[in-house]
Amino acid sequence: MKDVQAAAIVLGGSMGAGFLSGAELICFFPARGYLLPVLFFAALQGGLCALFLRLGRKYGGAQGVFSRLFARRAYLVQGALALATFVPCAGMLSGLDALFPALAPLPALLGLFLGALVLRFSLKGVSAVNALLVPLMLAFVFTAGGTRMEVGGFAAEGMGIFCFCRAAVYAGMNALLLAPVLMEAGKETTRPVLVSLLCALLLALAALVIRAAIGREGVNAQTAPLPFLYVMRGSKLFLVVCACAVFTSFLSALYPPYALC
C-alpha cells in the first residue's frame, strides 16, 4: 500500500495543469519527432524519482537526508527550498483562478484552504488525495485523448540534441519540485525503483496521448493557451480535471514549507 501511495505522489506531482493541458508538452517537446524525447524525459524523471525515494528510505525521510548532506546547514537549505516553492505555489493558485475566471479569487482561496486542510494530515493526507484523484486524471486522458499515434511522433525532423536537452530540463524541474515529498514518502516505500519505473511508463503514455491528440488537431490547437482544452472543445469536465491536477501538484509544492514549519 505504501508503494501505491508513493506512486500516486509521483504522478500527482508530475501531472499538473501545465502537463494535462498540453501547454508544457508543447513547450518542451517538438511538433514532430516527439516520441524519443518524451521517452527520454520519462526515463530520466523516473531515475531521479527513484534516487529521491531511495535516499528517503536510506536516511529516514527528508529531514534525515538534509541532515546527512548538509549537517548544521540543513535548516538553511530547507528554508531556501521552502522559499523557492513560493513561486510555483502562487502560479498554481493563479492557475485555478484562470480555469474559472468568473469565480476569481474564490478558486484560489478554496485551493489554499483545502491544501492547508489536507496538510494537517501531513504526507498521509497528500498521498490519500493523490490516490483518489490521479486514477481519475489518467482515465480522463486515456479516454478523451484516444490512443492513436500520429506519424509525426515517429518522424526524424526536430530530433536534434536540443530536443533532448529540453526534455532533460523538464524532467529535472519536475523531480526537484517533488524531491522533498518523495524523500519523505521513500521512508516507507519498499520498492522505489519499481514504483518509479511504473510511474515513468504511465507518465510517458499520458504525455504521448496528449501530444498526439494536439498534433491531430493541427496548428490552432498547438498555438492555443490550453491546447488540450482546445482539443476537448472547451469541455467543462476538462476544467474540473485540470483543477484536480493543479491541486495534486500544489500539495507537493506546498509540502516543503509545511514540513519546515
Side-chain angles (χ1 to χ4, degrees):
M1 189 61 183
K2 297 298 182 183
D3 291 340
V4 173
Q5 292 174 342
I9 289 174
V10 173
L11 291 171
S14 302
M15 293 179 61
F19 180 96
L20 205 66
S21 69
E24 290 177 352
L25 303 182
I26 292 292
C27 178
F28 288 101
F29 302 114
R32 294 180 64 82
Y34 54 79
L35 176 64
L36 290 182
V38 166
L39 295 178
F40 175 72
F41 148 75
L44 180 57
Q45 181 170 326
L48 291 172
C49 289
L51 172 64
F52 292 131
L53 287 171
R54 286 176 64 87
L55 284 173
R57 179 170 173 77
K58 183 175 181 179
Y59 296 113
Q63 184 60 51
V65 175
F66 284 119
S67 298
R68 180 76 175 185
L69 292 178
F70 303 105
R72 288 178 295 180
R73 296 183 178 86
Y75 281 107
L76 292 176
V77 175
Q78 287 179 278
L81 184 61
L83 188 61
T85 60
F86 175 80
V87 174
C89 284
M92 291 168 196
L93 291 176
S94 108
L96 287 174
D97 281 344
L99 290 173
F100 307 98
L103 300 177
L106 292 179
L109 293 174
L110 180 60
L112 184 60
F113 171 75
L114 291 177
L117 186 64
V118 169
L119 285 173
R120 284 181 60 86
F121 299 95
S122 192
L123 195 65
K124 291 182 179 178
V126 176
S127 61
V129 170
N130 284 348
L132 175 66
L133 296 181
V134 165
L136 299 178
M137 290 155 51
L138 288 172
F140 178 84
V141 168
F142 293 132
T143 302
T147 56
R148 183 167 61 88
M149 285 292 297
E150 290 292 296
V151 175
F154 300 91
E157 293 93 333
M159 284 183 55
I161 188 66
F162 185 60
C163 294
F164 292 94
C165 290
R166 285 189 298 183
V169 169
Y170 190 29
M173 286 169 51
N174 282 345
L176 288 176
L177 183 64
L178 287 170
V181 72
L182 287 182
M183 289 187 290
E184 193 62 28
K187 185 165 54 176
E188 297 182 357
T189 303
T190 58
R191 290 167 289 188
V193 175
L194 180 60
V195 166
S196 301
L197 180 62
L198 292 176
C199 288
L201 177 61
L202 287 172
L203 201 61
L205 290 175
L208 289 172
V209 166
I210 295 172
R211 193 66 186 81
I214 295 169
R216 289 196 300 270
E217 199 65 28
V219 177
N220 289 335
Q222 298 193 48
T223 56
L226 298 174
F228 202 40
L229 177 61
Y230 184 92
V231 174
M232 296 293 104
R233 300 293 187 269
S235 165
K236 300 297 183 184
L237 178 59
F238 173 81
L239 294 178
V240 174
V241 174
C242 232
C244 292
V246 172
F247 189 61
T248 56
S249 55
F250 175 67
L251 290 176
S252 296
L254 192 61
Y255 184 81
Y258 164 81
L260 182 66
C261 292

